[in-house]
Amino acid sequence: MQAKELRDLSDQELEVKERELRENLFRFRLRRGTNQLESPAALIQTRRDIARIKTIQGERARTGRM
């Protein structure tokens, strides 16, 4: 997901999206442990998306938007 798309989401939507991504990350890690992960790139992309969300939340907290 692009940062611009994430910036358009509300704070609550960002929290929900982060929760979904963390659940997906957990599943990807389980699959990787059992060698059933189809796309290792999906694991990396999920981690990056979580980092983008955390960055946007931090920016909003610093500017007082939260």
Side-chain angles (χ1 to χ4, degrees):
M1 200 166 212
Q2 295 294 321
K4 183 177 180 176
E5 296 171 1
L6 292 173
R7 285 192 198 329
D8 293 336
L9 299 177
S10 69
D11 293 336
Q12 292 80 21
E13 290 172 328
L14 279 177
E15 290 174 12
V16 169
K17 186 70 174 169
E18 181 187 359
R19 194 173 315 119
E20 291 172 359
L21 289 171
R22 286 192 182 275
E23 290 173 3
N24 287 341
L25 183 61
F26 176 74
R27 289 188 193 106
F28 288 149
R29 285 180 176 159
L30 286 178
R31 288 182 190 156
R32 183 181 62 182
T34 59
N35 292 326
Q36 294 177 349
L37 185 60
E38 298 158 2
S39 174
L43 181 73
I44 295 166
Q45 186 62 42
T46 302
R47 288 178 43 216
R48 288 181 180 169
D49 287 342
I50 292 171
R52 282 188 189 102
I53 289 173
K54 297 301 266 180
T55 299
I56 292 169
Q57 288 174 334
E59 290 171 352
R60 289 181 182 179
R62 282 190 298 276
T63 61
R65 184 171 172 209
M66 248 179 156

Short mmCIF file of all heavy atoms in Angstrom, two decimals:
data_model
loop_
_atom_site.label_atom_id
_atom_site.label_comp_id
_atom_site.label_asym_id
_atom_site.label_seq_id
_atom_site.Cartn_x
_atom_site.Cartn_y
_atom_site.Cartn_z
N MET A 1 0.84 -1.16 0.00
CA MET A 1 0.00 0.00 0.00
C MET A 1 0.90 1.24 0.00
O MET A 1 1.90 1.30 0.69
CB MET A 1 -0.86 -0.03 1.26
CG MET A 1 -2.07 0.81 1.17
SD MET A 1 -3.22 0.44 2.50
CE MET A 1 -4.70 0.77 1.62
N GLN A 2 0.51 2.22 -0.75
CA GLN A 2 1.29 3.45 -0.86
C GLN A 2 1.03 4.36 0.34
O GLN A 2 -0.05 4.35 0.93
CB GLN A 2 0.90 4.19 -2.14
CG GLN A 2 1.25 3.43 -3.40
CD GLN A 2 2.74 3.27 -3.58
OE1 GLN A 2 3.50 4.18 -3.31
NE2 GLN A 2 3.15 2.10 -4.04
N ALA A 3 2.04 5.17 0.69
CA ALA A 3 1.92 6.08 1.81
C ALA A 3 0.80 7.10 1.59
O ALA A 3 0.10 7.47 2.52
CB ALA A 3 3.25 6.79 2.05
N LYS A 4 0.63 7.51 0.35
CA LYS A 4 -0.42 8.48 0.05
C LYS A 4 -1.80 7.90 0.36
O LYS A 4 -2.66 8.59 0.91
CB LYS A 4 -0.35 8.90 -1.41
CG LYS A 4 -1.35 9.95 -1.79
CD LYS A 4 -1.22 10.41 -3.21
CE LYS A 4 -2.26 11.47 -3.49
NZ LYS A 4 -2.18 12.04 -4.79
N GLU A 5 -2.01 6.65 0.03
CA GLU A 5 -3.28 5.99 0.32
C GLU A 5 -3.50 5.89 1.83
O GLU A 5 -4.62 6.06 2.31
CB GLU A 5 -3.30 4.59 -0.29
CG GLU A 5 -3.23 4.57 -1.80
CD GLU A 5 -3.04 3.18 -2.35
OE1 GLU A 5 -2.97 2.21 -1.56
OE2 GLU A 5 -2.92 3.04 -3.57
N LEU A 6 -2.43 5.60 2.56
CA LEU A 6 -2.55 5.47 4.00
C LEU A 6 -2.82 6.81 4.66
O LEU A 6 -3.54 6.90 5.64
CB LEU A 6 -1.26 4.86 4.58
CG LEU A 6 -1.01 3.40 4.21
CD1 LEU A 6 0.36 2.97 4.69
CD2 LEU A 6 -2.08 2.50 4.80
N ARG A 7 -2.25 7.88 4.13
CA ARG A 7 -2.46 9.21 4.70
C ARG A 7 -3.93 9.64 4.56
O ARG A 7 -4.41 10.45 5.34
CB ARG A 7 -1.56 10.24 4.02
CG ARG A 7 -0.13 10.16 4.44
CD ARG A 7 0.64 11.36 3.96
NE ARG A 7 2.06 11.38 3.89
CZ ARG A 7 2.95 10.76 4.62
NH1 ARG A 7 2.58 9.95 5.53
NH2 ARG A 7 4.24 10.91 4.45
N ASP A 8 -4.62 9.11 3.57
CA ASP A 8 -6.03 9.45 3.35
C ASP A 8 -6.96 8.77 4.35
O ASP A 8 -8.12 9.15 4.47
CB ASP A 8 -6.45 9.10 1.93
CG ASP A 8 -5.76 9.96 0.88
OD1 ASP A 8 -5.31 11.08 1.23
OD2 ASP A 8 -5.66 9.51 -0.28
N LEU A 9 -6.46 7.77 5.07
CA LEU A 9 -7.28 7.04 6.03
C LEU A 9 -7.35 7.80 7.35
O LEU A 9 -6.45 8.54 7.70
CB LEU A 9 -6.70 5.64 6.28
CG LEU A 9 -6.61 4.70 5.08
CD1 LEU A 9 -5.94 3.40 5.50
CD2 LEU A 9 -7.97 4.42 4.50
N SER A 10 -8.43 7.57 8.08
CA SER A 10 -8.57 8.19 9.40
C SER A 10 -7.71 7.43 10.41
O SER A 10 -7.18 6.36 10.11
CB SER A 10 -10.04 8.17 9.85
OG SER A 10 -10.42 6.84 10.12
N ASP A 11 -7.60 7.97 11.61
CA ASP A 11 -6.79 7.33 12.64
C ASP A 11 -7.34 5.94 12.99
O ASP A 11 -6.57 4.99 13.16
CB ASP A 11 -6.75 8.20 13.90
CG ASP A 11 -6.00 9.50 13.66
OD1 ASP A 11 -5.15 9.54 12.74
OD2 ASP A 11 -6.25 10.47 14.39
N GLN A 12 -8.65 5.83 13.09
CA GLN A 12 -9.25 4.54 13.43
C GLN A 12 -9.03 3.53 12.31
O GLN A 12 -8.78 2.35 12.57
CB GLN A 12 -10.76 4.69 13.70
CG GLN A 12 -11.08 5.46 14.96
CD GLN A 12 -10.97 6.97 14.76
OE1 GLN A 12 -11.03 7.46 13.63
NE2 GLN A 12 -10.83 7.71 15.85
N GLU A 13 -9.15 3.98 11.07
CA GLU A 13 -8.92 3.08 9.94
C GLU A 13 -7.47 2.62 9.90
O GLU A 13 -7.20 1.46 9.56
CB GLU A 13 -9.28 3.78 8.63
CG GLU A 13 -10.76 4.01 8.46
CD GLU A 13 -11.09 4.87 7.26
OE1 GLU A 13 -10.29 5.77 6.89
OE2 GLU A 13 -12.18 4.66 6.68
N LEU A 14 -6.54 3.50 10.26
CA LEU A 14 -5.14 3.10 10.32
C LEU A 14 -4.91 2.04 11.38
O LEU A 14 -4.16 1.09 11.15
CB LEU A 14 -4.25 4.32 10.61
CG LEU A 14 -3.91 5.22 9.44
CD1 LEU A 14 -3.09 6.41 9.92
CD2 LEU A 14 -3.17 4.47 8.35
N GLU A 15 -5.56 2.18 12.53
CA GLU A 15 -5.41 1.20 13.59
C GLU A 15 -5.95 -0.16 13.15
O GLU A 15 -5.33 -1.20 13.41
CB GLU A 15 -6.13 1.66 14.85
CG GLU A 15 -5.46 2.83 15.53
CD GLU A 15 -6.25 3.37 16.70
OE1 GLU A 15 -7.22 2.70 17.13
OE2 GLU A 15 -5.92 4.47 17.17
N VAL A 16 -7.09 -0.16 12.48
CA VAL A 16 -7.68 -1.41 11.98
C VAL A 16 -6.76 -2.04 10.94
O VAL A 16 -6.51 -3.25 10.97
CB VAL A 16 -9.09 -1.16 11.40
CG1 VAL A 16 -9.60 -2.37 10.66
CG2 VAL A 16 -10.04 -0.75 12.51
N LYS A 17 -6.25 -1.23 10.04
CA LYS A 17 -5.36 -1.73 8.98
C LYS A 17 -4.09 -2.32 9.59
O LYS A 17 -3.61 -3.38 9.16
CB LYS A 17 -5.02 -0.59 8.02
CG LYS A 17 -4.25 -1.01 6.82
CD LYS A 17 -5.11 -1.84 5.91
CE LYS A 17 -4.37 -2.15 4.64
NZ LYS A 17 -5.05 -3.17 3.85
N GLU A 18 -3.54 -1.65 10.61
CA GLU A 18 -2.34 -2.16 11.26
C GLU A 18 -2.62 -3.51 11.92
O GLU A 18 -1.82 -4.43 11.83
CB GLU A 18 -1.84 -1.16 12.30
CG GLU A 18 -0.58 -1.64 13.00
CD GLU A 18 -0.16 -0.74 14.14
OE1 GLU A 18 -0.82 0.28 14.40
OE2 GLU A 18 0.86 -1.09 14.78
N ARG A 19 -3.76 -3.62 12.58
CA ARG A 19 -4.13 -4.87 13.23
C ARG A 19 -4.23 -6.01 12.20
O ARG A 19 -3.73 -7.11 12.43
CB ARG A 19 -5.44 -4.70 13.99
CG ARG A 19 -5.74 -5.80 14.96
CD ARG A 19 -6.98 -5.53 15.83
NE ARG A 19 -7.02 -4.18 16.37
CZ ARG A 19 -7.99 -3.30 16.10
NH1 ARG A 19 -8.99 -3.61 15.32
NH2 ARG A 19 -7.97 -2.08 16.64
N GLU A 20 -4.86 -5.72 11.06
CA GLU A 20 -4.99 -6.72 10.01
C GLU A 20 -3.62 -7.14 9.49
O GLU A 20 -3.36 -8.33 9.27
CB GLU A 20 -5.82 -6.17 8.85
CG GLU A 20 -7.27 -5.97 9.17
CD GLU A 20 -8.02 -5.24 8.05
OE1 GLU A 20 -7.39 -4.87 7.03
OE2 GLU A 20 -9.23 -5.02 8.21
N LEU A 21 -2.74 -6.16 9.28
CA LEU A 21 -1.42 -6.47 8.76
C LEU A 21 -0.60 -7.28 9.76
O LEU A 21 0.16 -8.18 9.38
CB LEU A 21 -0.68 -5.18 8.39
CG LEU A 21 -1.20 -4.46 7.15
CD1 LEU A 21 -0.53 -3.10 7.01
CD2 LEU A 21 -0.97 -5.30 5.90
N ARG A 22 -0.75 -6.98 11.04
CA ARG A 22 -0.02 -7.75 12.06
C ARG A 22 -0.52 -9.20 12.10
O ARG A 22 0.27 -10.12 12.29
CB ARG A 22 -0.16 -7.09 13.42
CG ARG A 22 0.68 -5.84 13.54
CD ARG A 22 0.77 -5.36 14.98
NE ARG A 22 1.53 -4.15 15.06
CZ ARG A 22 2.86 -4.09 15.14
NH1 ARG A 22 3.56 -5.21 15.13
NH2 ARG A 22 3.49 -2.94 15.22
N GLU A 23 -1.82 -9.40 11.92
CA GLU A 23 -2.35 -10.76 11.87
C GLU A 23 -1.80 -11.49 10.65
O GLU A 23 -1.43 -12.67 10.74
CB GLU A 23 -3.88 -10.73 11.83
CG GLU A 23 -4.50 -10.30 13.14
CD GLU A 23 -6.00 -10.11 13.04
OE1 GLU A 23 -6.59 -10.37 11.95
OE2 GLU A 23 -6.60 -9.68 14.04
N ASN A 24 -1.75 -10.80 9.51
CA ASN A 24 -1.19 -11.40 8.30
C ASN A 24 0.28 -11.73 8.50
O ASN A 24 0.75 -12.80 8.07
CB ASN A 24 -1.34 -10.47 7.10
CG ASN A 24 -2.76 -10.38 6.62
OD1 ASN A 24 -3.58 -11.24 6.91
ND2 ASN A 24 -3.06 -9.34 5.88
N LEU A 25 1.02 -10.84 9.14
CA LEU A 25 2.44 -11.07 9.40
C LEU A 25 2.62 -12.31 10.26
O LEU A 25 3.51 -13.13 9.99
CB LEU A 25 3.05 -9.85 10.08
CG LEU A 25 4.54 -9.88 10.35
CD1 LEU A 25 5.32 -10.01 9.04
CD2 LEU A 25 4.97 -8.63 11.09
N PHE A 26 1.79 -12.47 11.26
CA PHE A 26 1.85 -13.66 12.12
C PHE A 26 1.64 -14.93 11.29
O PHE A 26 2.39 -15.91 11.42
CB PHE A 26 0.80 -13.55 13.22
CG PHE A 26 0.72 -14.77 14.10
CD1 PHE A 26 1.70 -15.02 15.04
CD2 PHE A 26 -0.33 -15.65 13.97
CE1 PHE A 26 1.63 -16.14 15.86
CE2 PHE A 26 -0.41 -16.77 14.77
CZ PHE A 26 0.57 -17.02 15.72
N ARG A 27 0.64 -14.90 10.42
CA ARG A 27 0.36 -16.07 9.57
C ARG A 27 1.52 -16.36 8.62
O ARG A 27 1.89 -17.52 8.40
CB ARG A 27 -0.93 -15.84 8.78
CG ARG A 27 -2.15 -15.90 9.65
CD ARG A 27 -3.42 -15.85 8.81
NE ARG A 27 -4.55 -15.60 9.67
CZ ARG A 27 -5.19 -14.44 9.74
NH1 ARG A 27 -4.84 -13.43 8.99
NH2 ARG A 27 -6.21 -14.28 10.56
N PHE A 28 2.08 -15.30 8.05
CA PHE A 28 3.23 -15.48 7.15
C PHE A 28 4.40 -16.11 7.88
O PHE A 28 5.10 -16.98 7.34
CB PHE A 28 3.67 -14.15 6.53
CG PHE A 28 2.72 -13.60 5.49
CD1 PHE A 28 2.60 -12.24 5.32
CD2 PHE A 28 1.97 -14.43 4.69
CE1 PHE A 28 1.74 -11.71 4.37
CE2 PHE A 28 1.11 -13.93 3.73
CZ PHE A 28 0.99 -12.56 3.58
N ARG A 29 4.63 -15.68 9.11
CA ARG A 29 5.75 -16.25 9.88
C ARG A 29 5.51 -17.72 10.20
O ARG A 29 6.46 -18.52 10.17
CB ARG A 29 5.96 -15.45 11.16
CG ARG A 29 6.61 -14.12 10.91
CD ARG A 29 6.81 -13.36 12.19
NE ARG A 29 7.53 -12.12 11.93
CZ ARG A 29 7.51 -11.08 12.74
NH1 ARG A 29 6.82 -11.12 13.86
NH2 ARG A 29 8.20 -10.01 12.44
N LEU A 30 4.28 -18.08 10.50
CA LEU A 30 3.97 -19.49 10.74
C LEU A 30 4.21 -20.31 9.47
O LEU A 30 4.78 -21.40 9.52
CB LEU A 30 2.52 -19.65 11.19
CG LEU A 30 2.19 -19.25 12.61
CD1 LEU A 30 0.71 -19.42 12.88
CD2 LEU A 30 3.00 -20.06 13.60
N ARG A 31 3.75 -19.79 8.35
CA ARG A 31 3.94 -20.51 7.08
C ARG A 31 5.41 -20.62 6.72
O ARG A 31 5.84 -21.62 6.17
CB ARG A 31 3.18 -19.80 5.96
CG ARG A 31 1.70 -19.95 6.06
CD ARG A 31 1.02 -19.29 4.91
NE ARG A 31 -0.41 -19.23 5.13
CZ ARG A 31 -1.20 -18.36 4.56
NH1 ARG A 31 -0.70 -17.45 3.74
NH2 ARG A 31 -2.48 -18.36 4.81
N ARG A 32 6.17 -19.57 7.00
CA ARG A 32 7.60 -19.62 6.71
C ARG A 32 8.28 -20.70 7.54
O ARG A 32 9.14 -21.42 7.07
CB ARG A 32 8.25 -18.27 6.98
CG ARG A 32 9.73 -18.25 6.61
CD ARG A 32 10.36 -16.94 6.89
NE ARG A 32 10.29 -16.66 8.34
CZ ARG A 32 10.72 -15.58 8.91
NH1 ARG A 32 11.24 -14.61 8.17
NH2 ARG A 32 10.63 -15.40 10.20
N GLY A 33 7.84 -20.84 8.80
CA GLY A 33 8.41 -21.85 9.68
C GLY A 33 8.14 -23.26 9.22
O GLY A 33 8.92 -24.17 9.50
N THR A 34 7.04 -23.46 8.51
CA THR A 34 6.69 -24.80 8.02
C THR A 34 6.98 -24.95 6.52
O THR A 34 6.53 -25.91 5.90
CB THR A 34 5.21 -25.10 8.28
OG1 THR A 34 4.42 -24.12 7.61
CG2 THR A 34 4.90 -25.10 9.75
N ASN A 35 7.72 -23.99 5.97
CA ASN A 35 8.09 -24.00 4.54
C ASN A 35 6.88 -24.02 3.61
O ASN A 35 6.91 -24.64 2.56
CB ASN A 35 9.02 -25.17 4.22
CG ASN A 35 10.37 -25.02 4.85
OD1 ASN A 35 10.87 -23.90 4.98
ND2 ASN A 35 10.98 -26.12 5.26
N GLN A 36 5.81 -23.37 4.00
CA GLN A 36 4.62 -23.29 3.16
C GLN A 36 4.37 -21.88 2.65
O GLN A 36 3.35 -21.62 2.04
CB GLN A 36 3.39 -23.75 3.95
CG GLN A 36 3.43 -25.21 4.33
CD GLN A 36 2.24 -25.60 5.17
OE1 GLN A 36 1.47 -24.76 5.63
NE2 GLN A 36 2.06 -26.90 5.37
N LEU A 37 5.32 -20.99 2.88
CA LEU A 37 5.16 -19.61 2.43
C LEU A 37 5.38 -19.55 0.93
O LEU A 37 6.44 -19.91 0.42
CB LEU A 37 6.16 -18.70 3.15
CG LEU A 37 6.05 -17.21 2.86
CD1 LEU A 37 4.68 -16.70 3.28
CD2 LEU A 37 7.13 -16.46 3.61
N GLU A 38 4.34 -19.11 0.21
CA GLU A 38 4.40 -19.08 -1.25
C GLU A 38 5.25 -17.93 -1.77
O GLU A 38 5.97 -18.06 -2.74
CB GLU A 38 2.99 -18.99 -1.82
CG GLU A 38 2.14 -20.18 -1.46
CD GLU A 38 0.66 -19.87 -1.53
OE1 GLU A 38 0.30 -18.75 -1.90
OE2 GLU A 38 -0.12 -20.77 -1.19
N SER A 39 5.15 -16.78 -1.11
CA SER A 39 5.85 -15.60 -1.59
C SER A 39 6.59 -14.92 -0.43
O SER A 39 5.95 -14.23 0.38
CB SER A 39 4.85 -14.63 -2.21
OG SER A 39 5.50 -13.44 -2.54
N PRO A 40 7.90 -15.09 -0.36
CA PRO A 40 8.66 -14.41 0.69
C PRO A 40 8.55 -12.90 0.59
O PRO A 40 8.68 -12.19 1.59
CB PRO A 40 10.09 -14.86 0.46
CG PRO A 40 9.99 -16.11 -0.33
CD PRO A 40 8.74 -15.98 -1.14
N ALA A 41 8.29 -12.38 -0.58
CA ALA A 41 8.16 -10.94 -0.77
C ALA A 41 6.93 -10.40 -0.03
O ALA A 41 6.93 -9.25 0.40
CB ALA A 41 8.07 -10.60 -2.25
N ALA A 42 5.91 -11.22 0.15
CA ALA A 42 4.71 -10.79 0.86
C ALA A 42 5.04 -10.49 2.32
O ALA A 42 4.50 -9.54 2.90
CB ALA A 42 3.63 -11.85 0.77
N LEU A 43 5.93 -11.25 2.90
CA LEU A 43 6.35 -11.03 4.27
C LEU A 43 7.05 -9.67 4.40
O LEU A 43 6.74 -8.88 5.29
CB LEU A 43 7.29 -12.15 4.71
CG LEU A 43 7.83 -12.11 6.13
CD1 LEU A 43 6.73 -12.46 7.11
CD2 LEU A 43 8.98 -13.06 6.27
N ILE A 44 7.94 -9.39 3.49
CA ILE A 44 8.68 -8.14 3.49
C ILE A 44 7.74 -6.96 3.25
O ILE A 44 7.81 -5.93 3.94
CB ILE A 44 9.79 -8.17 2.43
CG1 ILE A 44 10.81 -9.24 2.80
CG2 ILE A 44 10.46 -6.82 2.28
CD1 ILE A 44 11.77 -9.59 1.68
N GLN A 45 6.83 -7.10 2.31
CA GLN A 45 5.89 -6.02 1.99
C GLN A 45 4.98 -5.72 3.18
O GLN A 45 4.68 -4.56 3.46
CB GLN A 45 5.06 -6.39 0.76
CG GLN A 45 4.17 -5.27 0.28
CD GLN A 45 4.96 -4.05 -0.15
OE1 GLN A 45 5.99 -4.18 -0.80
NE2 GLN A 45 4.50 -2.88 0.23
N THR A 46 4.56 -6.74 3.88
CA THR A 46 3.70 -6.55 5.04
C THR A 46 4.44 -5.78 6.13
O THR A 46 3.89 -4.86 6.74
CB THR A 46 3.21 -7.91 5.58
OG1 THR A 46 2.52 -8.59 4.53
CG2 THR A 46 2.29 -7.74 6.76
N ARG A 47 5.69 -6.14 6.36
CA ARG A 47 6.49 -5.43 7.36
C ARG A 47 6.66 -3.96 6.98
O ARG A 47 6.59 -3.06 7.82
CB ARG A 47 7.86 -6.09 7.51
CG ARG A 47 7.77 -7.41 8.24
CD ARG A 47 9.10 -8.14 8.37
NE ARG A 47 10.19 -7.28 8.73
CZ ARG A 47 11.43 -7.41 8.27
NH1 ARG A 47 11.73 -8.39 7.44
NH2 ARG A 47 12.38 -6.60 8.66
N ARG A 48 6.86 -3.69 5.71
CA ARG A 48 7.02 -2.31 5.25
C ARG A 48 5.73 -1.52 5.39
O ARG A 48 5.75 -0.34 5.76
CB ARG A 48 7.49 -2.29 3.80
CG ARG A 48 8.92 -2.71 3.66
CD ARG A 48 9.38 -2.66 2.24
NE ARG A 48 10.77 -3.08 2.15
CZ ARG A 48 11.40 -3.33 1.02
NH1 ARG A 48 10.76 -3.19 -0.13
NH2 ARG A 48 12.66 -3.70 1.03
N ASP A 49 4.60 -2.17 5.11
CA ASP A 49 3.31 -1.49 5.26
C ASP A 49 3.06 -1.12 6.72
O ASP A 49 2.55 -0.04 7.02
CB ASP A 49 2.18 -2.36 4.72
CG ASP A 49 2.15 -2.42 3.21
OD1 ASP A 49 2.78 -1.56 2.56
OD2 ASP A 49 1.51 -3.35 2.67
N ILE A 50 3.41 -2.03 7.64
CA ILE A 50 3.25 -1.75 9.06
C ILE A 50 4.13 -0.56 9.45
O ILE A 50 3.71 0.34 10.17
CB ILE A 50 3.58 -2.99 9.92
CG1 ILE A 50 2.52 -4.07 9.70
CG2 ILE A 50 3.69 -2.62 11.40
CD1 ILE A 50 2.87 -5.42 10.32
N ALA A 51 5.36 -0.54 8.94
CA ALA A 51 6.27 0.57 9.23
C ALA A 51 5.72 1.89 8.69
O ALA A 51 5.83 2.93 9.35
CB ALA A 51 7.65 0.29 8.65
N ARG A 52 5.12 1.86 7.51
CA ARG A 52 4.52 3.08 6.95
C ARG A 52 3.40 3.60 7.84
O ARG A 52 3.28 4.80 8.09
CB ARG A 52 3.97 2.80 5.55
CG ARG A 52 5.01 2.77 4.48
CD ARG A 52 4.36 2.68 3.10
NE ARG A 52 5.39 2.44 2.12
CZ ARG A 52 5.66 1.26 1.57
NH1 ARG A 52 4.94 0.21 1.89
NH2 ARG A 52 6.62 1.13 0.68
N ILE A 53 2.57 2.69 8.31
CA ILE A 53 1.47 3.08 9.18
C ILE A 53 2.00 3.69 10.47
O ILE A 53 1.53 4.73 10.92
CB ILE A 53 0.54 1.88 9.47
CG1 ILE A 53 -0.24 1.51 8.20
CG2 ILE A 53 -0.41 2.19 10.63
CD1 ILE A 53 -1.05 0.25 8.32
N LYS A 54 3.01 3.06 11.07
CA LYS A 54 3.58 3.57 12.31
C LYS A 54 4.20 4.95 12.08
O LYS A 54 4.11 5.83 12.94
CB LYS A 54 4.64 2.61 12.86
CG LYS A 54 4.10 1.25 13.26
CD LYS A 54 3.04 1.35 14.29
CE LYS A 54 3.64 1.20 15.65
NZ LYS A 54 2.63 1.30 16.71
N THR A 55 4.82 5.16 10.93
CA THR A 55 5.42 6.46 10.61
C THR A 55 4.34 7.53 10.51
O THR A 55 4.48 8.63 11.06
CB THR A 55 6.20 6.37 9.29
OG1 THR A 55 7.24 5.41 9.43
CG2 THR A 55 6.78 7.72 8.91
N ILE A 56 3.26 7.23 9.82
CA ILE A 56 2.16 8.19 9.67
C ILE A 56 1.53 8.49 11.02
O ILE A 56 1.23 9.65 11.34
CB ILE A 56 1.13 7.67 8.66
CG1 ILE A 56 1.76 7.64 7.27
CG2 ILE A 56 -0.13 8.52 8.68
CD1 ILE A 56 0.95 6.90 6.24
N GLN A 57 1.35 7.47 11.85
CA GLN A 57 0.78 7.70 13.18
C GLN A 57 1.71 8.58 14.01
O GLN A 57 1.25 9.46 14.74
CB GLN A 57 0.55 6.37 13.90
CG GLN A 57 -0.61 5.58 13.33
CD GLN A 57 -0.75 4.20 13.93
OE1 GLN A 57 0.23 3.61 14.42
NE2 GLN A 57 -1.95 3.66 13.90
N GLY A 58 3.02 8.38 13.89
CA GLY A 58 3.97 9.21 14.61
C GLY A 58 3.94 10.65 14.14
O GLY A 58 4.01 11.59 14.94
N GLU A 59 3.83 10.84 12.82
CA GLU A 59 3.73 12.19 12.28
C GLU A 59 2.49 12.90 12.80
O GLU A 59 2.54 14.08 13.17
CB GLU A 59 3.68 12.15 10.75
CG GLU A 59 4.98 11.74 10.09
CD GLU A 59 4.82 11.52 8.59
OE1 GLU A 59 3.67 11.53 8.10
OE2 GLU A 59 5.85 11.31 7.94
N ARG A 60 1.39 12.18 12.82
CA ARG A 60 0.15 12.78 13.29
C ARG A 60 0.22 13.11 14.78
O ARG A 60 -0.33 14.11 15.23
CB ARG A 60 -1.03 11.85 13.00
CG ARG A 60 -1.36 11.77 11.56
CD ARG A 60 -2.54 10.87 11.29
NE ARG A 60 -2.82 10.78 9.88
CZ ARG A 60 -3.80 10.04 9.36
NH1 ARG A 60 -4.59 9.35 10.15
NH2 ARG A 60 -3.98 10.01 8.05
N ALA A 61 0.88 12.26 15.55
CA ALA A 61 1.01 12.51 16.98
C ALA A 61 1.87 13.76 17.23
O ALA A 61 1.56 14.55 18.13
CB ALA A 61 1.62 11.30 17.67
N ARG A 62 2.90 13.93 16.45
CA ARG A 62 3.77 15.09 16.63
C ARG A 62 3.08 16.39 16.22
O ARG A 62 3.35 17.43 16.79
CB ARG A 62 5.06 14.92 15.83
CG ARG A 62 6.05 13.98 16.49
CD ARG A 62 7.39 14.03 15.81
NE ARG A 62 7.34 13.60 14.42
CZ ARG A 62 7.39 12.35 14.00
NH1 ARG A 62 7.46 11.37 14.86
NH2 ARG A 62 7.37 12.07 12.70
N THR A 63 2.22 16.32 15.22
CA THR A 63 1.53 17.53 14.78
C THR A 63 0.24 17.78 15.55
O THR A 63 -0.42 18.78 15.34
CB THR A 63 1.20 17.46 13.27
OG1 THR A 63 0.34 16.35 13.03
CG2 THR A 63 2.47 17.36 12.44
N GLY A 64 -0.11 16.84 16.41
CA GLY A 64 -1.31 17.02 17.24
C GLY A 64 -2.60 16.65 16.55
O GLY A 64 -3.67 16.99 17.00
N ARG A 65 -2.50 15.95 15.45
CA ARG A 65 -3.71 15.59 14.70
C ARG A 65 -4.46 14.44 15.34
O ARG A 65 -5.63 14.26 15.15
CB ARG A 65 -3.33 15.25 13.27
CG ARG A 65 -4.54 14.96 12.42
CD ARG A 65 -4.21 14.84 10.98
NE ARG A 65 -5.41 14.37 10.30
CZ ARG A 65 -5.42 13.66 9.23
NH1 ARG A 65 -4.29 13.36 8.65
NH2 ARG A 65 -6.53 13.26 8.68
N MET A 66 -3.79 13.60 16.09
CA MET A 66 -4.40 12.43 16.69
C MET A 66 -5.36 12.80 17.72
O MET A 66 -6.19 13.08 18.16
CB MET A 66 -3.36 11.54 17.35
CG MET A 66 -3.23 10.26 16.63
SD MET A 66 -1.97 9.27 17.44
CE MET A 66 -2.52 7.70 16.91
#
